[in-house]
Amino acid sequence: MTRISWDQYFMAQSHLLALRSTCTRLTVGATIVRDKRIIAGGYNGSIAGGDHCIDKGCYVIDHHCVRTIHAEMNALLQCAKFGVPTENAEIYVTHFPCLQCCKAIIQAGIKTVYYAKDYKNHPYAIELFNQADVKVEKVELMEKVIDFREIQA
Ligand SMILES: [Zn+2]
Ligand SMILES: [Zn+2]
């Protein structure tokens, strides 16, 4: 039996969360981690109790779906809602964060961003992460780690 690494474990968690996405444009998941513990998670979705893009279609303005709260934002807002500090935390996301999420991640004091897939990787986001001394590292998910059929009875 091979033991799953922390990076793969948290990245798998983000990919599981992405499966809960309600916006059809992009399924994204994010997991916030501190001291190897998951403190929050989020996926691309509408406000609680609101209409879902999968039911009503996306609400697109200027090529963006305005109905959706990004996975990273949802995870950060969960921390805000329940008073969980995000200073010096790490975030595992399925896709490279957009500019808005990049700024929120920096401002929340998160120090490391692990992402699995490149997604438009905005040069200004890269610049801001550098400027804020936030470490950004690509961690691809090995599909094998989420094959639960391997678990022996
Ligand atoms: Zn949408
Ligand atoms: Zn975003």
Side-chain angles (χ1 to χ4, degrees):
M1 190 194 91
T2 46
R3 195 172 179 221
I4 188 171
S5 70
W6 283 118
D7 277 352
Q8 286 296 311
Y9 170 75
F10 296 129
M11 200 48 100
Q13 174 62 34
S14 294
H15 282 73
L16 262 183
L17 277 166
L19 298 176
R20 293 280 308 152
S21 293
T22 57
C23 182
T24 45
R25 288 168 75 84
L26 192 66
T27 59
V28 181
T31 306
I32 301 177
V33 173
R34 242 179 57 183
D35 301 325
K36 301 283 178 276
R37 270 179 282 268
I38 293 172
I39 57 169
Y43 53 83
N44 270 6
S46 315
I47 57 164
D51 291 333
H52 294 319
C53 296
I54 44 170
D55 300 325
K56 303 274 166 125
C58 284
Y59 188 163
V60 180
I61 298 177
D62 294 333
H63 311 290
H64 292 287
C65 175
V66 295
R67 200 194 302 284
T68 301
I69 303 157
H70 288 185
E72 303 92 314
M73 294 289 193
N74 268 323
L76 288 171
L77 291 168
Q78 198 175 64
C79 291
K81 188 174 181 179
F82 297 108
V84 180
T86 47
E87 178 118 69
N88 298 319
E90 302 175 305
I91 193 165
Y92 287 77
V93 276
T94 53
H95 296 73
F96 191 91
C98 74
L99 209 38
Q100 299 307 319
C101 289
C102 155
K103 288 185 284 181
I105 287 166
I106 291 170
Q107 203 68 354
I110 288 177
K111 287 288 176 274
T112 313
V113 176
Y114 298 100
Y115 70 100
K117 290 171 208 122
D118 291 300
Y119 184 71
K120 297 178 186 172
N121 305 22
H122 199 290
Y124 186 48
I126 297 166
E127 188 187 322
L128 287 176
F129 280 137
N130 281 337
Q131 214 177 85
D133 225 8
V134 171
K135 190 181 123 191
V136 181
E137 196 182 315
K138 190 173 185 179
V139 172
E140 279 173 279
L141 179 71
M142 293 182 285
E143 302 290 338
K144 193 179 163 290
V145 303
I146 50 166
D147 187 355
F148 296 113
R149 288 169 301 181
E150 279 205 354
I151 298 170
Q152 288 162 2

